[in-house]
Amino acid sequence: QVQLVESGGGLVQAGGSLRLSCAASRSYFSLYTMAWYRQAPGKQRELVANITVTGNTNYEDSVKGRFTISRDNAKNAVYLQMNSLKPEDTAVYYCRGTIGRNTYWGQGTQVTVSS
């Protein structure tokens, strides 16, 4: 079992930037498909971006051109660079790792964007 720990959330003004990090507790990280999800109050959890083992990326439409997902397999980490933040980006952001039929979640980190 792998543990995922997110960090980097906080309060930022609209137009600002944040970089989220997710650290994995074990090796073989390079074999995991990694993703960032978010959940705003009263809404369902939604996929923000994912990155495959080969480095292919996919983004939710509203974050395309503003967010960038990346991974550093040597550090067992995945990142989400968030630029041009908007109040509607306010949510708890979760890191998810998937390998085979196993899925693991982090505890989440709060991102609040003030207008």
Side-chain angles (χ1 to χ4, degrees), residues 43-64:
K43 296 187 177 181
Q44 290 188 334
R45 192 173 298 188
E46 64 175 0
L47 175 67
V48 176
N50 64 16
I51 184 166
T52 68
V53 296
T54 56
N56 292 324
T57 58
N58 179 56
Y59 296 93
E60 193 269 329
D61 285 346
S62 69
V63 308
K64 286 180 180 177

Side-chain angles (χ1 to χ4, degrees), residues 75-90:
K75 295 183 178 180
N76 288 356
V78 63
Y79 307 100
L80 186 68
Q81 177 67 44
M82 305 186 295
N83 299 327
S84 302
L85 283 161
K86 304 176 180 180
E88 51 264 42
D89 294 318
T90 294

